[in-house]
Amino acid sequence: MITDLKGLWEMSDEDGNVYKSEVPGTVLKTLLDNKVIDDPYYRLNEKSAQPYLGKNYSFKRKFNLPLSALLAANYLLIDGIDTIANLYINDHLIGTCEDMHLSYSFLINNLYLKEGENEIRVDITSANNYLNDNCEKSELFYGFSDTSDNRYPKIRKAHFSFGWDWGPTLPDMGIYKGIKIISTTLGYIDSFNHQVLFSSGKAFVNISCELSLINIINSTLSVSIYDNDQLIDTKTIKPKKSNTVSLIINDPKKWYPAGYGDQPLYTVKIEFKDSNESCEKTFKIGLREVQVKDKKDEYGRELTINVNGIDIFVKGSNYIPMDSIYPNVTKEKTERLLKLVKDFNHNTVRVWGGGYIPEDYFYDYCDENGIMVFEDLMFACAIYDFDDSHFSNLVQKEVQDILKKIRHHASIILISGNNECEVAIASWNPPKKEESEISYRKLFLDLIPAVVKKESDFYYLSSSPTSGDPYFLNPSSSDYLDMHLWQVWHGMEPISFYQTVYPRFLSEFGLQSFPSVNCIKEYAIEEDMRIDSEVMLQHQKNKKGNEKIYKYIKDSYKDPKDFTSLVYLSQISQAMALKCAVEHLRINSKRCMGALYWQLNDCWGVQSWSSIDYYFNLKPLHYESKKFFANTLVTFEKKEGVLGLYAVSEKNSIEPYHVVLDLYNLSGKKILEKTYDINLSPLSPLFIESLESNKYNGKDFYYKAFIYSSKDNLLGENYYFFKNYKDIKLKKPRIKMKQLDSRTLEISANHLSLNCFLTTSSPSIIFEENNFNLKKNEIKRIKVSCDFNIKDVNVMSLYDSYK
Ligand code: BMA
């Protein structure tokens, strides 16, 4: 029997205030629901919410148990508590929690239970109080994140909640996931795993499961595999504590990443029962063979993801927690975000290590849609003390538990031990470098990889970034394995710097922008709309971030005429910077096998590196990513004074393409046209030709290139200007928009218009294409994702944004 304890609880604080509280939930959510605090994301409210997180809270509720439960074993199962908690049933302590990432199971002493009404109470100590009381913890624990309370490594709680360079300092707390009691005379299924072996056209699937077992005499364990509703194979055995059952799938259908094939999923059903009770676990598996290649080669050491024998160029971005208030993250919002990943030609997300492990529905969506996951474990920008045995034992349990929960997901391609912990020790001058290195080796090179190996088949990358062995030498080298590139932005290098680096796999690089005006209006009022207002600074968590945004605008564009133009230009500068980076990586594919930009989303309204803001408004970067991640790309790059025309395709076969190159003057007159018939092999970028550029350098001409399939479908287009954008002599354009039908828009301009960006009042309206150039008198038709009204559409272009 299951007694689900979700629902209405009572939350009380130290001062005797009592509030109704929904579980799963958190303190901030409860205080908001009860109108005790104002929205902490609005203007300066973050500060006024913080004192509430310095208090301890107690949550309680009543529940009923029948007599039969008292004759059974009773387990309290908790999917997640944030973070430090004591649990009581009828005032008897039954367990303690101290790790947000861990799920817990406590066997309750039946003497503490009563027939009829019982009470459960969960006392949570605020993270701040816990850290204040635990400051005697070893000095080796060290946090590098400069805007936060840097004691975060001392507690197993999502690090970003203490503040990050894009996140507010709101270390919330609560029973943030499911909680229930199982009363059983049988037992329950504790964990499961599967392994697949392909041989002679069959898939041999070994399903194992661990039972918390009580009745072994009369019980049975059945394991079945279904293809949709059709039973493929099944077996029933007498269960033990650990069980393995081998099943066979004839003519197995393989799972492929998006763009390479379909994502068939088989359903595995485990049933454990006796004559009185039964329990069941159902999960989906995708049959795929993943190989992560990390061999030394002519350039250094590759990091190549190979799925079912195909080397895959990894394209995507970094996912951070979607909200600082956990209950605000829902399945619907998560799927909405991941759909924007899939529909925009990304094939991968990296789950960054300073947050939390997403819910199962996140990975389910990735499984179903072929989005590969680069999964960090939950360690970031910090040093941890391995010799604190309490800490290392906890971490061992945590990693084991996480792997048990996620290892069946086909989408997860690799596990990375942490975010930037190796590079931090190597290059960010920690106080105790030598001891930190020793502790790191024990944790991330011994303990954790051993757990990953024991519990899963995942490839383990010790850190993101890392160059592998020898560790600590130059973990973010471009030549070895994984790299993060922050010389642009943090190091203030110009955008063109991207084209001077040849990474093997680049899992972080980015540039900040303002979120859309729609988003800013949610956290600011008219008088805040200045780059240096208190509110704009409070919603900028990276030191001098607003100044840096402005510097990058000024490098390429003219002065913005007003705040809206500043927002627009910051976003255009971000989009064009990342376009430059990704196109460079793609024309160097094979040598480089991954481009994951920083970052996909936000956890509140903020100036940040994201391509989609907290309210789901797409920045030009997100629209641009659809183009720079498209399967087939034609582009230009100037290298050592030579301007080259390049094409690359990730199609899995050699295919013919047709490239057209036009040269125009600014009045739209075609000066020259060239065509090329080319063949592109997978991951073999083609240098088509070196182009005449000296003659036009610094002049008002531009190239436009088009790439077509053999069937004359336009697959991509690109521009090359011989001048920096700010020096192009644009004329004031008259941009006309017309609604052709409920979902089609037509746009044209009487002069060359650059970076035309369409916006509306609703983030649900998504344009098939956005952030485009219009040649003089060009007419463009754009499909819109849902019914729209032309009156609601606004367009900005470079010219309109200048002073
Ligand atoms: C990387 C990330 C994050 C950070 C981002 C921007 O270092 O791993 O820690 O938010 O850069 O600074």
Side-chain angles (χ1 to χ4, degrees):
M1 184 188 80
I2 292 176
T3 308
D4 199 334
L5 298 173
K6 279 184 193 153
L8 211 55
W9 289 49
E10 216 176 74
M11 177 181 102
S12 44
D13 65 14
E14 298 159 350
D15 308 321
N17 298 310
V18 181
Y19 310 102
K20 286 193 172 135
S21 174
E22 197 63 42
V23 168
T26 63
V27 165
L28 283 178
K29 181 74 169 52
T30 305
L31 295 174
L32 274 165
D33 289 348
N34 285 274
K35 306 205 172 2
V36 180
I37 57 167
D38 293 324
D39 176 6
Y41 300 165
Y42 185 67
R43 301 196 76 212
L44 305 174
N45 288 352
E46 174 194 354
K47 287 184 190 155
S48 47
Q50 284 164 350
Y52 290 90
L53 299 173
K55 298 185 189 182
N56 302 332
Y57 292 84
S58 185
F59 294 80
K60 64 180 182 191
R61 72 163 279 168
K62 305 264 194 266
F63 62 95
N64 284 309
L65 287 179
L67 181 62
S68 61
L70 304 193
L71 304 171
N74 291 281
Y75 295 90
L76 177 66
L77 300 186
I78 298 169
D79 296 331
I81 285 205
D82 181 9
T83 295
I84 307 296
N86 286 336
L87 311 159
Y88 301 86
I89 293 216
N90 299 327
D91 288 330
H92 298 282
L93 182 69
I94 58 146
T96 57
C97 300
E98 51 182 336
D99 186 334
M100 173 188 187
H101 309 296
L102 197 55
S103 52
Y104 288 89
S105 163
F106 300 105
L107 180 62
I108 308 169
N109 183 339
N110 277 7
L111 294 174
Y112 301 161
L113 295 169
K114 297 181 286 189
E115 183 191 354
E117 193 174 83
N118 291 267
E119 185 187 77
I120 177 165
R121 195 178 87 236
V122 178
D123 288 349
I124 301 190
T125 305
S126 98
N128 284 332
N129 292 341
Y130 171 82
L131 288 169
N132 291 340
D133 298 343
N134 278 267
C135 273
E136 79 281 4
K137 264 206 167 164
S138 143
E139 285 298 303
L140 211 54
F141 286 98
Y142 188 84
F144 290 90
S145 178
D146 55 358
T147 53
S148 61
D149 175 348
N150 67 1
R151 297 174 301 171
Y152 61 83
K154 296 183 177 180
I155 176 171
R156 293 308 300 146
K157 173 173 169 63
H159 292 353
F160 86 105
S161 66
F162 294 94
W164 214 259
D165 55 9
W166 37 259
T169 301
L170 294 170
D172 202 1
M173 65 197 104
I175 307 164
Y176 79 111
K177 289 191 176 180
I179 178 165
K180 64 185 174 206
I181 290 174
I182 295 191
S183 310
T184 175
T185 54
L186 171 72
Y188 65 92
I189 302 165
D190 190 40
S191 64
F192 51 86
N193 199 5
H194 79 286
Q195 273 177 326
V196 185
L197 210 101
F198 295 94
S199 173
S200 354
K202 294 179 179 167
F204 296 86
V205 187
N206 285 340
I207 316 274
S208 50
C209 74
E210 301 278 321
L211 304 174
S212 283
L213 183 76
I214 296 162
N215 181 4
I216 44 168
I217 316 269
N218 302 320
S219 58
T220 57
L221 181 78
S222 304
V223 183
S224 319
I225 295 192
Y226 296 83
D227 181 1
N228 293 310
D229 287 340
Q230 197 198 335
L231 181 66
I232 301 285
D233 198 4
T234 182
K235 267 190 192 137
T236 300
I237 59 166
K238 280 227 74 51
K240 299 181 291 214
K241 201 164 171 17
S242 305
N243 308 275
T244 303
V245 171
S246 302
L247 300 178
I248 296 176
I249 303 177
N250 292 318
D251 301 322
K253 290 178 277 183
K254 286 197 178 173
W255 181 97
Y256 285 88
Y260 293 85
D262 294 336
Q263 292 81 43
L265 296 173
Y266 293 89
T267 305
V268 177
K269 201 186 214 179
I270 305 176
E271 277 175 293
F272 173 38
K273 63 180 172 197
D274 62 13
S275 49
N276 296 320
E277 272 183 54
S278 73
C279 74
E280 199 181 290
K281 273 262 149 72
T282 304
F283 58 98
K284 294 206 167 160
I285 58 169
L287 308 177
R288 87 282 190 269
E289 288 174 294
V290 175
Q291 205 198 333
V292 178
K293 301 196 211 163
D294 57 4
K295 296 275 171 306
K296 293 213 162 118
D297 61 14
E298 57 187 306
Y299 304 113
R301 198 169 164 196
E302 69 171 326
L303 186 67
T304 303
I305 307 296
N306 180 292
V307 182
N308 303 329
I310 308 170
D311 286 347
I312 298 200
F313 188 90
V314 164
K315 306 182 283 192
S317 60
N318 283 267
Y319 167 89
I320 60 159
M322 287 177 71
D323 212 297
S324 289
I325 303 173
Y326 193 85
N328 289 343
V329 183
T330 60
K331 183 170 186 232
E332 188 225 327
K333 283 191 204 165
T334 304
E335 293 187 344
R336 182 172 175 190
L337 183 69
L338 291 172
K339 186 169 183 330
L340 290 167
V341 163
K342 164 130 197 256
D343 290 352
F344 282 67
N345 295 328
H346 299 213
N347 62 20
T348 304
V349 282
R350 169 170 173 241
V351 175
W352 168 78
Y356 37 69
I357 300 290
E359 301 268 353
D360 228 25
Y361 54 68
F362 175 98
Y363 302 102
D364 286 343
Y365 189 93
C366 293
D367 291 349
E368 285 156 18
N369 292 281
I371 303 170
M372 297 184 287
V373 180
F374 180 127
E375 177 68 59
D376 283 6
L377 294 172
M378 292 301 122
F379 304 90
C381 304
I383 298 167
Y384 308 87
D385 186 0
F386 179 86
D387 290 330
D388 177 333
S389 57
H390 184 74
F391 167 81
S392 39
N393 287 335
L394 192 60
V395 161
Q396 179 165 12
K397 273 197 232 156
E398 174 191 310
V399 173
Q400 207 163 23
D401 189 51
I402 289 173
L403 289 164
K404 283 181 178 175
K405 283 186 279 205
I406 64 174
R407 64 191 171 192
H408 61 285
H409 289 288
S411 52
I412 301 174
I413 295 298
L414 68 75
I415 298 285
S416 134
N418 63 71
N419 171 72
E420 295 185 342
C421 295
E422 185 192 344
V423 74
I425 296 171
S427 322
W428 302 353
N429 297 320
K432 296 184 173 180
K433 196 168 175 180
E434 241 169 71
E435 284 140 288
S436 305
E437 218 184 283
I438 295 170
S439 180
Y440 177 96
R441 285 178 187 274
K442 290 184 192 162
L443 193 59
F444 295 108
L445 301 177
D446 293 336
L447 176 80
I448 293 180
V451 178
V452 173
K453 191 157 183 217
K454 180 164 175 280
E455 298 297 342
S456 74
D457 292 333
F458 293 132
Y459 174 90
Y460 176 76
L461 184 73
S462 53
S463 181
S464 178
T466 186
S467 292
D469 207 359
Y471 297 94
F472 299 104
L473 202 60
N474 185 5
S476 203
S477 154
S478 55
D479 297 334
Y480 299 88
L481 302 175
D482 187 24
M483 180 189 190
H484 292 184
L485 192 163
W486 283 111
Q487 285 92 333
V488 179
W489 182 262
H490 288 306
M492 302 283 275
E493 289 286 353
I495 302 306
S496 56
F497 182 86
Y498 284 132
Q499 295 180 330
T500 65
V501 186
Y502 294 84
R504 310 310 310 274
F505 191 111
L506 191 59
S507 59
E508 279 189 21
F509 55 105
L511 200 82
Q512 275 205 6
S513 68
F514 279 81
S516 74
V517 174
N518 287 348
C519 170
I520 294 173
K521 281 184 184 156
E522 298 281 344
Y523 66 79
I525 56 175
E526 199 59 44
E527 66 181 67
D528 305 326
M529 304 223 185
R530 280 184 291 112
I531 194 164
D532 55 354
S533 71
E534 209 184 339
V535 169
M536 286 306 145
L537 293 172
Q538 179 77 13
H539 288 250
Q540 167 57 266
K541 297 299 186 182
N542 190 208
K543 272 188 197 140
K544 301 211 164 136
N546 290 358
E547 288 171 39
K548 283 188 186 173
I549 291 179
Y550 204 71
K551 170 219 141 46
Y552 280 104
I553 292 179
K554 293 276 290 176
D555 279 358
S556 302
Y557 306 95
K558 293 186 183 170
D559 279 339
K561 70 174 184 221
D562 52 22
F563 185 74
T564 309
S565 303
L566 167 76
V567 169
Y568 160 82
L569 282 174
S570 76
Q571 297 186 342
I572 297 299
S573 118
Q574 177 195 34
M576 299 313 273
L578 269 67
K579 166 182 158 62
C580 164
V582 172
E583 292 186 352
H584 169 70
L585 299 175
R586 289 197 58 192
I587 61 172
N588 288 288
S589 52
K590 211 168 230 163
R591 177 171 179 172
C592 173
M593 286 303 285
L596 299 172
Y597 67 76
W598 186 266
Q599 69 204 64
L600 174 64
N601 60 307
D602 284 326
C603 63
W604 70 321
V606 62
Q607 291 97 261
S608 85
W609 296 266
S610 71
S611 61
I612 302 175
D613 71 34
Y614 177 68
Y615 297 96
F616 280 98
N617 301 288
L618 271 52
K619 295 180 182 177
L621 169 58
H622 204 75
Y623 280 109
E624 204 54 40
S625 73
K626 191 176 179 187
K627 298 182 227 178
F628 62 57
F629 283 150
N631 223 308
T632 309
L633 178 81
V634 61
T635 189
F636 304 87
E637 189 175 297
K638 203 165 189 179
K639 206 170 146 186
E640 287 152 15
V642 179
L643 177 65
L645 177 66
Y646 296 83
V648 62
S649 166
E650 275 135 32
K651 282 262 170 60
N652 204 21
S653 50
I654 303 180
E655 279 181 34
Y657 296 88
H658 184 66
V659 171
V660 175
L661 177 77
D662 293 341
L663 179 75
Y664 294 96
N665 67 17
L666 286 202
S667 339
K669 186 162 177 264
K670 198 189 280 185
I671 313 287
L672 197 116
E673 177 173 324
K674 275 182 146 188
T675 58
Y676 310 83
D677 286 309
I678 57 169
N679 286 316
L680 292 177
S681 318
L683 297 175
S684 302
L686 186 72
F687 174 81
I688 301 175
E689 196 183 25
S690 63
L691 301 176
E692 177 76 81
S693 71
N694 291 343
K695 200 160 137 194
Y696 305 108
N697 263 349
K699 300 217 172 94
D700 280 319
F701 291 92
Y702 62 92
Y703 278 125
K704 188 173 180 191
F706 305 84
I707 186 159
Y708 296 90
S709 71
S710 55
K711 294 192 183 92
D712 271 352
N713 287 332
L714 180 63
L715 303 173
E717 55 178 52
N718 227 323
Y719 284 81
Y720 180 84
F721 291 91
F722 294 94
K723 278 181 170 177
N724 198 349
Y725 290 107
K726 63 181 168 190
D727 300 322
I728 300 174
K729 288 204 182 68
L730 296 172
K731 288 194 180 136
K732 182 177 171 51
R734 200 153 32 84
I735 302 180
K736 278 201 220 147
M737 285 191 289
K738 194 153 87 181
Q739 181 153 11
L740 297 186
D741 58 46
S742 63
R743 293 191 183 194
T744 316
L745 175 141
E746 189 179 273
I747 182 164
S748 61
N750 63 341
H751 288 298
L752 175 71
S753 303
L754 301 184
N755 298 93
C756 301
F757 189 61
L758 304 165
T759 51
T760 70
S761 60
S762 160
S764 318
I765 296 179
I766 292 168
F767 299 96
E768 180 193 21
E769 191 191 347
N770 210 343
N771 188 35
F772 47 84
N773 297 333
L774 285 175
K775 280 195 337 249
K776 184 174 171 162
N777 296 331
E778 179 179 347
I779 299 173
K780 209 177 203 14
R781 284 186 181 173
I782 295 171
K783 289 265 170 241
V784 185
S785 65
C786 46
D787 290 356
F788 75 106
N789 184 338
I790 193 79
K791 288 196 194 114
D792 185 32
V793 183
N794 194 23
V795 61
M796 287 279 279
S797 76
L798 283 189
Y799 185 95
D800 312 312
S801 69
Y802 291 157
K803 231 179 212 163

